[in-house]
mmCIF file of all heavy atoms in Angstrom:
data_model
loop_
_atom_site.group_PDB
_atom_site.id
_atom_site.type_symbol
_atom_site.label_atom_id
_atom_site.label_comp_id
_atom_site.label_asym_id
_atom_site.label_seq_id
_atom_site.Cartn_x
_atom_site.Cartn_y
_atom_site.Cartn_z
ATOM 1 N N GLU A 801 11.344 -3.124 25.101
ATOM 2 C CA GLU A 801 10.947 -2.023 25.979
ATOM 3 C C GLU A 801 9.425 -1.930 26.083
ATOM 4 O O GLU A 801 8.874 -1.766 27.169
ATOM 5 C CB GLU A 801 11.517 -0.712 25.430
ATOM 6 C CG GLU A 801 11.173 0.495 26.243
ATOM 7 C CD GLU A 801 11.674 1.775 25.600
ATOM 8 O OE1 GLU A 801 12.701 1.730 24.877
ATOM 9 O OE2 GLU A 801 11.045 2.825 25.818
ATOM 10 N N CYS A 802 8.732 -2.054 24.945
ATOM 11 C CA CYS A 802 7.267 -1.989 24.954
ATOM 12 C C CYS A 802 6.662 -3.151 25.734
ATOM 13 O O CYS A 802 5.750 -2.957 26.540
ATOM 14 C CB CYS A 802 6.726 -1.970 23.523
ATOM 15 S SG CYS A 802 7.064 -0.444 22.634
ATOM 16 N N ALA A 803 7.173 -4.352 25.520
ATOM 17 C CA ALA A 803 6.659 -5.523 26.234
ATOM 18 C C ALA A 803 6.879 -5.385 27.731
ATOM 19 O O ALA A 803 5.983 -5.662 28.535
ATOM 20 C CB ALA A 803 7.317 -6.792 25.703
ATOM 21 N N GLU A 804 8.060 -4.935 28.120
ATOM 22 C CA GLU A 804 8.361 -4.763 29.547
ATOM 23 C C GLU A 804 7.483 -3.679 30.163
ATOM 24 O O GLU A 804 7.027 -3.811 31.304
ATOM 25 C CB GLU A 804 9.840 -4.427 29.731
ATOM 26 C CG GLU A 804 10.734 -5.622 29.456
ATOM 27 C CD GLU A 804 12.205 -5.252 29.356
ATOM 28 O OE1 GLU A 804 12.589 -4.139 29.795
ATOM 29 O OE2 GLU A 804 12.971 -6.082 28.834
ATOM 30 N N ALA A 805 7.230 -2.595 29.412
ATOM 31 C CA ALA A 805 6.370 -1.526 29.921
ATOM 32 C C ALA A 805 4.954 -2.035 30.169
ATOM 33 O O ALA A 805 4.334 -1.709 31.185
ATOM 34 C CB ALA A 805 6.361 -0.349 28.949
ATOM 35 N N LEU A 806 4.443 -2.857 29.241
ATOM 36 C CA LEU A 806 3.107 -3.434 29.444
ATOM 37 C C LEU A 806 3.078 -4.317 30.678
ATOM 38 O O LEU A 806 2.147 -4.259 31.483
ATOM 39 C CB LEU A 806 2.668 -4.235 28.213
ATOM 40 C CG LEU A 806 2.206 -3.442 27.011
ATOM 41 C CD1 LEU A 806 1.972 -4.360 25.830
ATOM 42 C CD2 LEU A 806 0.945 -2.654 27.332
ATOM 43 N N LEU A 807 4.096 -5.142 30.821
ATOM 44 C CA LEU A 807 4.154 -6.031 31.980
ATOM 45 C C LEU A 807 4.279 -5.252 33.283
ATOM 46 O O LEU A 807 3.803 -5.692 34.325
ATOM 47 C CB LEU A 807 5.316 -7.019 31.839
ATOM 48 C CG LEU A 807 5.138 -8.056 30.731
ATOM 49 C CD1 LEU A 807 6.428 -8.844 30.522
ATOM 50 C CD2 LEU A 807 3.989 -8.992 31.048
ATOM 51 N N ALA A 808 4.896 -4.075 33.218
ATOM 52 C CA ALA A 808 5.070 -3.252 34.416
ATOM 53 C C ALA A 808 3.842 -2.397 34.709
ATOM 54 O O ALA A 808 3.795 -1.697 35.720
ATOM 55 C CB ALA A 808 6.300 -2.360 34.250
ATOM 56 N N GLY A 809 2.848 -2.436 33.825
ATOM 57 C CA GLY A 809 1.612 -1.705 34.071
ATOM 58 C C GLY A 809 1.572 -0.307 33.482
ATOM 59 O O GLY A 809 0.747 0.509 33.886
ATOM 60 N N ALA A 810 2.425 -0.009 32.521
ATOM 61 C CA ALA A 810 2.421 1.313 31.880
ATOM 62 C C ALA A 810 1.105 1.530 31.129
ATOM 63 O O ALA A 810 0.397 0.575 30.805
ATOM 64 C CB ALA A 810 3.597 1.434 30.909
ATOM 65 N N ASP A 811 0.798 2.789 30.847
ATOM 66 C CA ASP A 811 -0.399 3.132 30.098
ATOM 67 C C ASP A 811 -0.378 2.433 28.735
ATOM 68 O O ASP A 811 0.561 2.604 27.955
ATOM 69 C CB ASP A 811 -0.471 4.650 29.903
ATOM 70 C CG ASP A 811 -1.657 5.050 29.048
ATOM 71 O OD1 ASP A 811 -2.806 4.837 29.488
ATOM 72 O OD2 ASP A 811 -1.426 5.540 27.927
ATOM 73 N N THR A 812 -1.385 1.634 28.470
ATOM 74 C CA THR A 812 -1.436 0.826 27.257
ATOM 75 C C THR A 812 -1.330 1.679 25.999
ATOM 76 O O THR A 812 -0.571 1.373 25.083
ATOM 77 C CB THR A 812 -2.736 -0.001 27.231
ATOM 78 O OG1 THR A 812 -2.807 -0.779 28.412
ATOM 79 C CG2 THR A 812 -2.789 -0.909 26.019
ATOM 80 N N ARG A 813 -2.090 2.768 25.925
ATOM 81 C CA ARG A 813 -2.081 3.598 24.723
ATOM 82 C C ARG A 813 -0.707 4.245 24.507
ATOM 83 O O ARG A 813 -0.243 4.365 23.381
ATOM 84 C CB ARG A 813 -3.170 4.662 24.828
ATOM 85 C CG ARG A 813 -3.462 5.417 23.560
ATOM 86 C CD ARG A 813 -4.048 4.556 22.434
ATOM 87 N NE ARG A 813 -5.277 3.905 22.728
ATOM 88 C CZ ARG A 813 -6.489 4.415 22.569
ATOM 89 N NH1 ARG A 813 -6.639 5.633 22.122
ATOM 90 N NH2 ARG A 813 -7.557 3.724 22.865
ATOM 91 N N ALA A 814 -0.042 4.636 25.590
ATOM 92 C CA ALA A 814 1.303 5.225 25.457
ATOM 93 C C ALA A 814 2.281 4.202 24.878
ATOM 94 O O ALA A 814 3.112 4.518 24.026
ATOM 95 C CB ALA A 814 1.793 5.739 26.807
ATOM 96 N N VAL A 815 2.165 2.962 25.328
ATOM 97 C CA VAL A 815 3.036 1.903 24.819
ATOM 98 C C VAL A 815 2.732 1.649 23.351
ATOM 99 O O VAL A 815 3.640 1.555 22.515
ATOM 100 C CB VAL A 815 2.873 0.607 25.654
ATOM 101 C CG1 VAL A 815 3.631 -0.547 25.028
ATOM 102 C CG2 VAL A 815 3.339 0.842 27.093
ATOM 103 N N LEU A 816 1.455 1.556 22.999
ATOM 104 C CA LEU A 816 1.073 1.341 21.604
ATOM 105 C C LEU A 816 1.555 2.483 20.715
ATOM 106 O O LEU A 816 2.001 2.262 19.587
ATOM 107 C CB LEU A 816 -0.442 1.182 21.483
ATOM 108 C CG LEU A 816 -1.033 -0.082 22.105
ATOM 109 C CD1 LEU A 816 -2.547 -0.027 22.060
ATOM 110 C CD2 LEU A 816 -0.509 -1.330 21.428
ATOM 111 N N ARG A 817 1.478 3.702 21.229
ATOM 112 C CA ARG A 817 1.920 4.872 20.455
ATOM 113 C C ARG A 817 3.388 4.730 20.051
ATOM 114 O O ARG A 817 3.781 5.079 18.953
ATOM 115 C CB ARG A 817 1.703 6.133 21.280
ATOM 116 C CG ARG A 817 1.825 7.413 20.491
ATOM 117 C CD ARG A 817 1.402 8.631 21.306
ATOM 118 N NE ARG A 817 -0.040 8.608 21.520
ATOM 119 C CZ ARG A 817 -0.639 8.508 22.717
ATOM 120 N NH1 ARG A 817 0.084 8.424 23.809
ATOM 121 N NH2 ARG A 817 -1.940 8.479 22.813
ATOM 122 N N ARG A 818 4.193 4.171 20.939
ATOM 123 C CA ARG A 818 5.617 3.987 20.633
ATOM 124 C C ARG A 818 5.830 2.848 19.641
ATOM 125 O O ARG A 818 6.765 2.870 18.856
ATOM 126 C CB ARG A 818 6.391 3.668 21.907
ATOM 127 C CG ARG A 818 6.441 4.869 22.812
ATOM 128 C CD ARG A 818 7.654 4.983 23.621
ATOM 129 N NE ARG A 818 8.872 4.736 22.875
ATOM 130 C CZ ARG A 818 10.029 4.505 23.440
ATOM 131 N NH1 ARG A 818 10.124 4.507 24.732
ATOM 132 N NH2 ARG A 818 11.103 4.277 22.729
ATOM 133 N N PHE A 819 4.975 1.831 19.690
ATOM 134 C CA PHE A 819 5.174 0.635 18.877
ATOM 135 C C PHE A 819 4.588 0.738 17.473
ATOM 136 O O PHE A 819 5.158 0.233 16.510
ATOM 137 C CB PHE A 819 4.580 -0.572 19.608
ATOM 138 C CG PHE A 819 4.609 -1.838 18.806
ATOM 139 C CD1 PHE A 819 5.801 -2.416 18.433
ATOM 140 C CD2 PHE A 819 3.434 -2.435 18.407
ATOM 141 C CE1 PHE A 819 5.841 -3.571 17.679
ATOM 142 C CE2 PHE A 819 3.446 -3.597 17.649
ATOM 143 C CZ PHE A 819 4.658 -4.164 17.288
ATOM 144 N N VAL A 820 3.458 1.411 17.322
ATOM 145 C CA VAL A 820 2.721 1.438 16.056
ATOM 146 C C VAL A 820 3.589 1.763 14.834
ATOM 147 O O VAL A 820 3.461 1.108 13.802
ATOM 148 C CB VAL A 820 1.499 2.385 16.159
ATOM 149 C CG1 VAL A 820 0.965 2.783 14.798
ATOM 150 C CG2 VAL A 820 0.398 1.714 16.966
ATOM 151 N N PRO A 821 4.493 2.737 14.902
ATOM 152 C CA PRO A 821 5.276 3.050 13.691
ATOM 153 C C PRO A 821 6.144 1.895 13.186
ATOM 154 O O PRO A 821 6.595 1.925 12.049
ATOM 155 C CB PRO A 821 6.156 4.227 14.134
ATOM 156 C CG PRO A 821 5.451 4.815 15.301
ATOM 157 C CD PRO A 821 4.775 3.675 15.988
ATOM 158 N N PHE A 822 6.361 0.887 14.006
ATOM 159 C CA PHE A 822 7.259 -0.201 13.633
ATOM 160 C C PHE A 822 6.535 -1.488 13.252
ATOM 161 O O PHE A 822 7.163 -2.510 13.035
ATOM 162 C CB PHE A 822 8.239 -0.482 14.778
ATOM 163 C CG PHE A 822 9.065 0.719 15.111
ATOM 164 C CD1 PHE A 822 8.693 1.565 16.138
ATOM 165 C CD2 PHE A 822 10.189 1.023 14.362
ATOM 166 C CE1 PHE A 822 9.442 2.691 16.435
ATOM 167 C CE2 PHE A 822 10.945 2.142 14.649
ATOM 168 C CZ PHE A 822 10.572 2.986 15.686
ATOM 169 N N ILE A 823 5.207 -1.451 13.175
ATOM 170 C CA ILE A 823 4.442 -2.648 12.844
ATOM 171 C C ILE A 823 4.565 -2.927 11.347
ATOM 172 O O ILE A 823 4.226 -2.080 10.526
ATOM 173 C CB ILE A 823 2.957 -2.498 13.226
ATOM 174 C CG1 ILE A 823 2.817 -2.323 14.735
ATOM 175 C CG2 ILE A 823 2.140 -3.694 12.751
ATOM 176 C CD1 ILE A 823 1.400 -2.034 15.193
ATOM 177 N N PRO A 824 5.069 -4.107 10.983
ATOM 178 C CA PRO A 824 5.111 -4.445 9.561
ATOM 179 C C PRO A 824 3.691 -4.745 9.070
ATOM 180 O O PRO A 824 2.766 -4.876 9.868
ATOM 181 C CB PRO A 824 5.983 -5.702 9.524
ATOM 182 C CG PRO A 824 5.778 -6.325 10.865
ATOM 183 C CD PRO A 824 5.557 -5.185 11.831
ATOM 184 N N GLN A 825 3.528 -4.882 7.762
ATOM 185 C CA GLN A 825 2.206 -5.198 7.231
ATOM 186 C C GLN A 825 1.743 -6.516 7.840
ATOM 187 O O GLN A 825 2.360 -7.558 7.644
ATOM 188 C CB GLN A 825 2.239 -5.301 5.719
ATOM 189 C CG GLN A 825 0.870 -5.545 5.133
ATOM 190 C CD GLN A 825 0.889 -5.529 3.618
ATOM 191 O OE1 GLN A 825 1.865 -5.167 2.998
ATOM 192 N NE2 GLN A 825 -0.206 -5.941 3.032
ATOM 193 N N THR A 826 0.669 -6.442 8.610
ATOM 194 C CA THR A 826 0.172 -7.599 9.349
ATOM 195 C C THR A 826 -1.344 -7.624 9.286
ATOM 196 O O THR A 826 -1.992 -6.613 9.504
ATOM 197 C CB THR A 826 0.606 -7.531 10.832
ATOM 198 O OG1 THR A 826 2.023 -7.437 10.908
ATOM 199 C CG2 THR A 826 0.135 -8.753 11.609
ATOM 200 N N THR A 827 -1.898 -8.782 8.981
ATOM 201 C CA THR A 827 -3.334 -8.988 9.083
ATOM 202 C C THR A 827 -3.569 -9.698 10.404
ATOM 203 O O THR A 827 -2.977 -10.744 10.666
ATOM 204 C CB THR A 827 -3.861 -9.849 7.921
ATOM 205 O OG1 THR A 827 -3.564 -9.180 6.695
ATOM 206 C CG2 THR A 827 -5.360 -10.073 8.041
ATOM 207 N N ILE A 828 -4.410 -9.116 11.237
ATOM 208 C CA ILE A 828 -4.687 -9.703 12.548
ATOM 209 C C ILE A 828 -6.078 -10.311 12.518
ATOM 210 O O ILE A 828 -7.059 -9.640 12.205
ATOM 211 C CB ILE A 828 -4.599 -8.649 13.663
ATOM 212 C CG1 ILE A 828 -3.207 -8.015 13.685
ATOM 213 C CG2 ILE A 828 -4.933 -9.281 15.016
ATOM 214 C CD1 ILE A 828 -3.063 -6.859 14.645
ATOM 215 N N VAL A 829 -6.141 -11.594 12.814
ATOM 216 C CA VAL A 829 -7.417 -12.298 12.936
ATOM 217 C C VAL A 829 -7.684 -12.452 14.423
ATOM 218 O O VAL A 829 -6.885 -13.042 15.148
ATOM 219 C CB VAL A 829 -7.354 -13.695 12.270
ATOM 220 C CG1 VAL A 829 -8.674 -14.433 12.480
ATOM 221 C CG2 VAL A 829 -7.012 -13.576 10.792
ATOM 222 N N VAL A 830 -8.784 -11.882 14.886
ATOM 223 C CA VAL A 830 -9.163 -12.007 16.296
ATOM 224 C C VAL A 830 -10.361 -12.934 16.355
ATOM 225 O O VAL A 830 -11.467 -12.574 15.966
ATOM 226 C CB VAL A 830 -9.491 -10.633 16.927
ATOM 227 C CG1 VAL A 830 -9.832 -10.800 18.400
ATOM 228 C CG2 VAL A 830 -8.324 -9.663 16.754
ATOM 229 N N ASP A 831 -10.108 -14.138 16.821
ATOM 230 C CA ASP A 831 -11.147 -15.160 16.934
ATOM 231 C C ASP A 831 -11.761 -15.064 18.331
ATOM 232 O O ASP A 831 -11.050 -14.937 19.311
ATOM 233 C CB ASP A 831 -10.512 -16.535 16.715
ATOM 234 C CG ASP A 831 -11.525 -17.623 16.429
ATOM 235 O OD1 ASP A 831 -12.716 -17.315 16.231
ATOM 236 O OD2 ASP A 831 -11.118 -18.796 16.397
ATOM 237 N N ARG A 832 -13.085 -15.108 18.407
ATOM 238 C CA ARG A 832 -13.843 -15.034 19.661
ATOM 239 C C ARG A 832 -13.871 -13.620 20.233
ATOM 240 O O ARG A 832 -13.826 -13.413 21.436
ATOM 241 C CB ARG A 832 -13.304 -16.012 20.702
ATOM 242 C CG ARG A 832 -13.197 -17.455 20.298
ATOM 243 C CD ARG A 832 -14.438 -18.318 20.474
ATOM 244 N NE ARG A 832 -15.392 -17.982 21.476
ATOM 245 C CZ ARG A 832 -15.492 -18.539 22.681
ATOM 246 N NH1 ARG A 832 -14.651 -19.459 23.061
ATOM 247 N NH2 ARG A 832 -16.447 -18.182 23.513
ATOM 248 N N LEU A 833 -13.959 -12.625 19.364
ATOM 249 C CA LEU A 833 -14.038 -11.235 19.804
ATOM 250 C C LEU A 833 -15.256 -10.996 20.687
ATOM 251 O O LEU A 833 -15.279 -10.064 21.484
ATOM 252 C CB LEU A 833 -14.067 -10.302 18.578
ATOM 253 C CG LEU A 833 -13.975 -8.808 18.855
ATOM 254 C CD1 LEU A 833 -12.638 -8.462 19.493
ATOM 255 C CD2 LEU A 833 -14.170 -8.010 17.581
ATOM 256 N N ASP A 834 -16.253 -11.862 20.576
ATOM 257 C CA ASP A 834 -17.451 -11.728 21.395
ATOM 258 C C ASP A 834 -17.147 -11.804 22.888
ATOM 259 O O ASP A 834 -17.939 -11.363 23.717
ATOM 260 C CB ASP A 834 -18.475 -12.801 21.013
ATOM 261 C CG ASP A 834 -17.938 -14.211 21.183
ATOM 262 O OD1 ASP A 834 -16.930 -14.540 20.518
ATOM 263 O OD2 ASP A 834 -18.520 -14.979 21.964
ATOM 264 N N LEU A 835 -15.976 -12.340 23.259
ATOM 265 C CA LEU A 835 -15.614 -12.437 24.669
ATOM 266 C C LEU A 835 -15.141 -11.114 25.262
ATOM 267 O O LEU A 835 -15.077 -10.966 26.480
ATOM 268 C CB LEU A 835 -14.504 -13.480 24.865
ATOM 269 C CG LEU A 835 -14.880 -14.921 24.574
ATOM 270 C CD1 LEU A 835 -13.659 -15.818 24.713
ATOM 271 C CD2 LEU A 835 -15.992 -15.377 25.514
ATOM 272 N N VAL A 836 -14.821 -10.154 24.415
ATOM 273 C CA VAL A 836 -14.291 -8.882 24.905
ATOM 274 C C VAL A 836 -15.414 -8.076 25.550
ATOM 275 O O VAL A 836 -16.411 -7.764 24.913
ATOM 276 C CB VAL A 836 -13.628 -8.075 23.774
ATOM 277 C CG1 VAL A 836 -13.236 -6.682 24.254
ATOM 278 C CG2 VAL A 836 -12.423 -8.822 23.235
ATOM 279 N N GLN A 837 -15.216 -7.746 26.813
ATOM 280 C CA GLN A 837 -16.167 -6.931 27.552
ATOM 281 C C GLN A 837 -15.582 -5.553 27.864
ATOM 282 O O GLN A 837 -16.212 -4.746 28.519
ATOM 283 C CB GLN A 837 -16.546 -7.637 28.867
ATOM 284 C CG GLN A 837 -17.168 -8.996 28.669
ATOM 285 C CD GLN A 837 -18.505 -8.908 27.980
ATOM 286 O OE1 GLN A 837 -19.327 -8.069 28.297
ATOM 287 N NE2 GLN A 837 -18.718 -9.769 26.993
#
């Protein structure tokens, strides 16, 4: 549901709000963060 909502253009923060409680312990490595504008 969250993935489909993102693809359909739903508000990103609203989608994340629904998903965050279900995130297992995860370390996220973001390589090339300098590209984010």
Side-chain angles (χ1 to χ4, degrees):
E801 180 184 331
C802 290
E804 288 168 16
L806 284 173
L807 292 171
D811 176 65
T812 304
R813 192 65 60 87
V815 173
L816 292 173
R817 193 172 290 117
R818 291 212 45 195
F819 174 64
V820 162
F822 300 96
I823 297 174
Q825 183 175 350
T826 303
T827 300
I828 301 174
V829 177
V830 182
D831 196 9
R832 306 274 333 261
L833 187 64
D834 59 300
L835 294 176
V836 173
Q837 301 294 316

